Amino acid sequence: MSTRESLSSLDVRRSTHSPLITLVGSVVLVSLFSVAPWIVPAWFASILMNFFILVIMATMWNLLAGYSGMVSIGQQAFVGLGAYATLFFAIKGMSPLAAIPLAALACGVIALPVTYLLFRLRGGYFSIATWVVADTAMIIIGTVAYLGGGTGHYLPGLSNFDPVSLTHVQYLASWSVALVVVIGTYVLLRSRLGLVLASMRDNEVAARSAGAHVTSARRIVFIVAAAGCGAAGAVLAISQPFVQPGNEFSMSWTAEMLFASMIGGLGTIEGPIIGSVVYFVLFQWLGQYGAWYFIVFGSLAVGIAIWQPRGLWGALRDRFHVELLPVGHWVRERRSAK
Amino acid sequence: MPLLQLEHVSKKFGQVVVADDINFELEEGEAVGIVGPNGAGKTSLFGIISGDVRLYGGQIHFVGQALERMHPSVRCRSGIGRTYQVPRPFENMTVFENTLVGSQQGAVLRGRKSHEAAFSALERTGLSSLANRAAGSLTLMQRKRLELARALATQPRLLLLDEIAGGLTDLEVTELTGIIRSINAEGVTILWIEHVVRALLSTVDRLLCLASGALVADGEPRAVLASEAVRRVYLGDRILNEAMDS
């Protein structure tokens, strides 16, 4: 068999199972979540709303750390900047909902020059520098009287909604941004850039010598993650309509996104979503026990890091060979084209 | 114009000299071996050519183009492929995806063409039946083949092989040298660091010897191995005689 003959029938699929399964599952889930605020109690819709915000942030943190090796502990910078960009546009008279994409865009634009500072550093130095960026952003925003200074500012533009409609709007804002972020991440990871990111995740030096522009890929990921976290910040501002530096730039956002990504499994799309589910289940269960909540969360994170470094989803995938959102390449069949 | 030209290339790590005024040229289509004791600077020389190691002094030209300021990925795209002494597979990706990175990024191919080039590299190296296997589950021999396949998928004009026969059985070495000879026969220039002298002698038509970062011999393989300089720094009489007899 000649090479040309065999290659003419090369069949490369993107999934080991029928894409219909993923498609049908996605349609069912999307439909359910889209109508959830009208069929579930308000308290549960509120939990779901916060769950979606965490999914957005954890998905973005996973892109940074899980795929590109950038362990950012200052991602709250972009959560805060996203919230404040929304506040800025709302004060200017724009609807906070319309400001969400603009806030994301603003964070992406701010992230570009930041990469030229941060990418000079590696490892722990990079991580610490991201924290410095976050604190610097918080301090600068805290000095801007127009945005409420250190005490914060009420987000205008939502007063025309009645309380029930407002809850629905807040829910739908967080749900639609989470949907866009997860679908966007899925599309990105299925692209040529996704293949580069996966190779960087596994071995950066080899990726570079196989022709991958690692620094450019890393820069794109940093900007995308900044925009995504900015959108999360915008949704956060809409869901808690008082925007305050101490809350929006809180280190706890990064702690949560880190926890969810790590527990669920770094380097997979599904991991951060599974991790976010675990976080919220534990949070509801342990929230009433005060400090025990932190002890259990910390112990779980340490245990997973030691015994299951690929996370819960990694363990499930290895055991059952399942992929909900497949991004791989599978050579299915090869016949001679005689 | 030579394919690769090194002029007064030098490199230090602190006080340790790993490249000491190295000068040589490679013509297109040549198969050239590099021998030398451990710590002679062989792998560092590959790093200097591929861009993993920054040059300290001197000049490198590839097809007349200066490489000093060129990023490793750009060097790869311009035709320099390399393997690593300790294989560096993308362990969580499939064997096919490993070579696909090479064909999409190194050879800058898209869509079906990139798939074909990636699969062709697997066929050349005898890995096509393992295309869907996770690269992390491969044996040492398979990993070495994958290193070669990924470099081939970048469609190189110059292929840098770093001890690709190391740790393999005699039979495996024979298979691998057959593949490398066929790659060279298609016009790909080979620069091959190897301690398995038998493998080199069956493949290369020119041999370089490095010691303490300096080029101490350059010429016809058996003549280089027989030279006093090489005997002194590397082989010793007994190993040399065995190699010459085989």
Side-chain angles (χ1 to χ4, degrees):
Chain A
M1 186 193 302
S2 75
T3 302
R4 182 169 295 174
E5 282 170 342
S6 65
L7 291 180
S8 66
S9 62
L10 185 67
D11 181 16
V12 178
R13 302 276 175 93
R14 303 304 303 269
S15 170
T16 50
H17 58 264
S18 166
L20 267 179
I21 299 171
T22 299
L23 191 65
V24 170
S26 303
V27 168
V28 170
L29 270 180
V30 168
S31 307
L32 277 177
F33 281 131
S34 298
V35 297
W38 287 274
I39 55 175
V40 299
W43 64 268
F44 191 70
S46 171
I47 290 173
L48 281 178
M49 187 172 70
N50 290 321
F51 165 73
F52 294 139
I53 294 173
L54 182 58
V55 166
I56 300 165
M57 294 194 291
T59 299
M60 293 297 97
W61 198 82
N62 177 47
L63 264 187
L64 280 175
Y67 281 93
S68 315
M70 293 185 281
V71 181
S72 167
I73 54 171
Q75 210 54 21
Q76 68 273 19
F78 299 104
V79 176
L81 288 172
Y84 269 92
T86 308
L87 175 63
F88 173 80
F89 291 122
I91 292 173
K92 290 284 181 192
M94 184 182 279
S95 157
L97 297 173
I100 296 173
L102 286 179
L105 183 68
C107 286
V109 170
I110 292 168
L112 177 63
V114 171
T115 62
Y116 288 92
L117 290 171
L118 293 179
F119 285 11
R120 303 170 75 87
L121 303 168
R122 283 278 181 274
Y125 298 101
F126 171 87
S127 301
I128 291 166
T130 59
W131 196 356
V132 172
V133 168
D135 273 12
T136 306
M138 183 176 73
I139 290 165
I140 291 171
I141 290 291
T143 62
V144 182
Y146 182 72
L147 297 172
T151 52
H153 196 294
Y154 190 79
L155 183 75
L158 296 173
S159 53
N160 50 341
F161 293 105
D162 64 74
V164 175
S165 302
L166 181 61
T167 311
H168 292 172
V169 164
Q170 289 167 330
Y171 174 93
L172 290 176
S174 64
W175 159 236
S176 48
V177 171
L179 189 63
V180 167
V181 163
V182 171
I183 291 174
T185 303
Y186 180 55
V187 170
L188 183 121
L189 291 176
R190 278 175 72 95
S191 70
R192 289 159 63 90
L193 178 61
L195 194 71
V196 171
L197 296 180
S199 67
M200 283 164 56
R201 171 196 63 193
D202 286 1
N203 197 308
E204 190 179 313
V205 173
R208 193 177 277 128
S209 64
H213 290 328
V214 169
T215 307
S216 303
R218 187 179 278 132
R219 182 162 285 123
I220 291 169
V221 165
F222 192 87
I223 291 168
V224 167
C229 286
V235 173
L236 192 68
I238 291 167
S239 68
Q240 304 168 358
F242 194 80
V243 182
Q244 195 181 23
N247 181 37
E248 317 303 329
F249 288 95
S250 168
M251 178 74 178
S252 66
W253 299 123
T254 297
E256 286 178 17
M257 56 180 107
L258 187 154
F259 177 86
S261 305
M262 218 177 80
I263 295 287
L266 285 170
T268 62
I269 300 177
E270 298 91 338
I273 301 171
I274 304 284
S276 300
V277 172
V278 172
Y279 177 87
F280 271 92
V281 169
L282 284 178
F283 186 78
Q284 295 307 313
W285 181 39
L286 294 168
Q288 57 188 309
Y289 295 108
W292 281 104
Y293 144 72
F294 292 107
I295 292 168
V296 171
F297 271 39
S299 305
L300 185 63
V302 171
I304 293 270
I306 294 172
W307 290 296
Q308 193 49 252
R310 288 159 65 83
L312 295 176
W313 179 249
L316 286 171
R317 196 176 59 167
D318 290 349
R319 187 170 176 83
F320 300 108
H321 303 288
V322 287
E323 272 189 302
L324 299 178
L325 298 168
V327 294
H329 297 76
W330 301 94
V331 181
R332 278 285 295 264
E333 58 185 55
R334 193 179 135 249
R335 289 192 214 99
S336 174
K338 286 177 182 172
Chain B
M1 184 197 301
L3 183 73
L4 181 74
Q5 188 175 27
L6 276 74
E7 293 175 296
H8 307 294
V9 164
S10 59
K11 175 69 188 177
K12 287 178 182 177
F13 289 117
Q15 294 302 307
V16 180
V17 178
V18 294
D20 184 9
D21 194 29
I22 294 175
N23 296 276
F24 70 84
E25 292 178 356
L26 293 184
E27 296 299 330
E28 185 120 42
E30 271 194 299
V32 178
I34 300 180
V35 293
N38 289 333
K42 304 183 295 297
T43 296
S44 296
L45 181 63
F46 270 18
I48 290 168
I49 298 170
S50 68
D52 290 341
V53 174
R54 189 173 289 182
L55 192 63
Y56 179 78
Q59 289 184 317
I60 310 176
H61 286 87
F62 182 69
V63 206
Q65 204 175 8
L67 289 186
E68 294 92 68
R69 292 181 175 275
M70 204 182 275
H71 194 270
S73 57
V74 182
R75 296 188 198 201
C76 173
R77 290 181 180 200
S78 65
I80 300 176
R82 75 163 294 178
T83 69
Y84 288 91
Q85 184 179 347
V86 177
R88 294 172 180 260
F90 305 130
E91 297 204 350
N92 295 301
M93 298 167 74
T94 66
V95 167
F96 175 72
E97 286 167 337
N98 268 256
T99 50
L100 193 59
V101 175
S103 66
Q104 288 194 347
Q105 298 302 312
V108 203
L109 296 173
R110 289 178 174 271
R112 188 165 182 81
K113 282 186 177 172
S114 70
H115 296 160
E116 289 174 355
F119 197 76
S120 174
L122 294 180
E123 286 192 318
R124 293 293 307 276
T125 50
L127 286 174
S128 55
S129 62
L130 303 174
N132 292 330
R133 178 90 72 84
S137 68
L138 298 183
T139 64
L140 176 64
M141 172 63 176
Q142 290 164 344
R143 283 170 182 243
K144 296 241 174 190
R145 283 176 186 244
L146 184 56
E147 282 285 303
L148 183 56
R150 193 173 60 206
L152 273 182
T154 67
Q155 302 188 339
R157 290 176 72 175
L158 170 63
L159 187 55
L160 308 174
L161 303 174
D162 194 351
E163 296 197 30
I164 198 149
L168 303 183
T169 65
D170 283 353
L171 186 64
E172 289 169 340
V173 169
T174 305
E175 280 180 31
L176 205 57
T177 48
I179 295 168
I180 293 165
R181 273 200 301 272
S182 73
I183 293 165
N184 179 235
E186 288 175 6
V188 177
T189 307
I190 306 284
L191 188 58
W192 185 2
I193 294 171
E194 193 55 76
H195 283 302
V196 184
V197 177
R198 179 176 67 85
L200 277 185
L201 287 178
S202 70
T203 309
V204 302
D205 36 39
R206 181 179 157 203
L207 195 61
L208 312 177
C209 180
L210 284 177
S212 303
L215 188 62
V216 295
D218 178 356
E220 196 279 322
R222 285 169 193 276
V224 166
L225 289 174
S227 71
E228 271 302 310
V230 175
R231 281 170 190 270
R232 205 167 41 247
V233 301
Y234 183 57
L235 288 171
D237 289 334
R238 186 178 61 79
I239 296 171
L240 175 65
N241 291 336
E242 282 175 10
M244 300 292 276
D245 291 343
S246 66

